[in-house]
Amino acid sequence: MTKTVTFVLYTFLIWAQAVQIKSREIGGRIIGGQLANAGQFPFAAAIYKSTSEGTYFCGGALIDDQWILTAGQCVDGAVLFTIRLGSTNLNSNNNPNMLLLSTETYFLHPDYDPVTLTNDIGLIKLRMQISFTDYIWAASVMKTNAIYDGASVLTLGWGQTSDETAGLVDDLRYVTLVTLSHEECRLAFGDQVNENMLCVAGNNNEGTCRGDLGSPLVEFLGPIVYHIGVSSFISSNGCESSDPSGFTRTFPYFDWIMNVTSNN
């Protein structure tokens, strides 16, 4: 018998704790992770999304010198983005390696569905091209389906570290996980899981939570870091349950990403 667990979407409302919006929570966390060192993940982006309803937090990844890849949920309805690059700490305003940028330009996948989370992917364009440093560098977008079941992958973010402890953490955290088969993902979440989604799990309850929405799933192949997924959903049983974490696969959207970034 197939077990169906409801998708839960998480976004973090900055001026309050995590709130429920239209009976659905939006955002994510890193459960069971380790602290990142300065410059360890130079593609990591902290995104503050301003809308008519408030300011929300998401993660993202720099994929070239002017574009950030994140979840569709993280750009939908935005009027302004404030983005931090080059720092693992959200409060280090005097960090000389950090860039604090603002922009209002984004591209939401045209077939994004906020109910089913189909095509949950979006792009943010910076106002100007930036210079790469040891602390700011782009991840490579995976353009083929080279991810096999049981592959060792990594995700990162500033989200909650437990269900009981609300709020973002100051310092970036990361966790190593393994990819699950499509069948295993559907056993956890049911028929709502499509081929463009990917589930990952850790040894126990490791994974994402509130505040990690939009954060990248990456695979290290030699010296190259490949962006293979965007944090999209978790189980309604909570972040600390043993249910897997859900991502939007990157490779099915390679052509869309290249088209948007090349022509805008």
Side-chain angles (χ1 to χ4, degrees):
M1 180 176 179
T2 300
K3 177 180 71 170
T4 300
V5 179
T6 305
F7 282 167
V8 177
L9 301 75
Y10 290 99
T11 282
F12 234 93
L13 189 60
I14 299 304
W15 44 265
Q17 294 180 349
V19 297
Q20 197 163 23
I21 301 174
K22 298 179 181 178
S23 299
R24 300 177 71 87
E25 289 181 324
I26 302 182
R29 77 186 168 183
I30 295 297
I31 301 298
Q34 304 177 59
L35 287 175
N37 296 320
Q40 187 175 1
F41 304 108
F43 49 85
I47 302 168
Y48 297 86
K49 164 190 162 184
S50 297
T51 73
S52 59
E53 297 178 344
T55 300
Y56 302 84
F57 182 86
C58 279
L62 192 67
I63 57 170
D64 73 7
D65 59 5
Q66 201 169 4
W67 291 90
I68 291 171
L69 183 60
T70 186
Q73 303 168 65
C74 293
V75 301
D76 192 18
V79 296
L80 183 69
F81 301 97
T82 302
I83 298 165
R84 297 171 68 102
L85 299 171
S87 175
T88 59
N89 187 283
L90 293 180
N91 296 310
S92 57
N93 295 324
N94 296 321
N95 185 342
N97 302 312
M98 183 192 71
L99 282 181
L100 186 62
L101 309 168
S102 64
T103 184
E104 62 285 329
T105 304
Y106 70 87
F107 294 83
L108 176 64
H109 193 279
D111 297 321
Y112 165 65
D113 187 325
V115 176
T116 64
L117 297 185
T118 301
N119 307 308
D120 186 17
I121 195 164
L123 288 160
I124 299 172
K125 185 180 182 181
L126 304 178
R127 290 173 178 167
M128 299 179 64
Q129 293 176 314
I130 61 172
S131 298
F132 289 152
T133 69
D134 289 341
Y135 299 91
I136 300 173
W137 198 266
S140 297
V141 176
M142 179 67 79
K143 62 181 179 180
T144 60
N145 185 15
I147 306 303
Y148 58 88
D149 299 342
S152 178
V153 294
L154 181 148
T155 192
L156 49 104
W158 287 274
Q160 294 182 203
T161 56
S162 72
D163 284 322
E164 293 75 25
T165 306
L168 300 170
V169 295
D170 291 337
D171 296 303
L172 182 66
R173 302 184 72 89
Y174 69 96
V175 66
T176 301
L177 305 165
V178 296
T179 58
L180 304 181
S181 69
H182 185 64
E183 291 71 25
E184 288 177 290
C185 195
R186 288 170 68 94
L187 281 174
F189 293 107
D191 293 341
Q192 56 198 324
V193 173
N194 62 51
E195 294 289 346
N196 291 347
M197 296 173 178
L198 174 67
C199 283
V200 297
N203 287 328
N204 296 301
N205 60 352
E206 297 165 330
T208 55
C209 188
R210 294 180 181 88
D212 294 325
L213 174 65
S215 293
L217 185 70
V218 298
E219 184 178 29
F220 288 80
L221 297 177
I224 302 177
V225 180
Y226 285 103
H227 190 296
I228 63 170
V230 177
S231 179
S232 177
F233 58 91
I234 64 167
S235 169
S236 58
N237 290 329
C239 302
E240 291 183 273
S241 73
S242 59
D243 294 328
S245 301
F247 288 76
T248 299
R249 292 178 183 266
T250 307
F251 84 89
Y253 304 96
F254 179 82
D255 289 342
W256 176 76
I257 291 168
M258 293 300 106
N259 181 60
V260 171
T261 57
S262 299
N263 297 304
N264 294 282

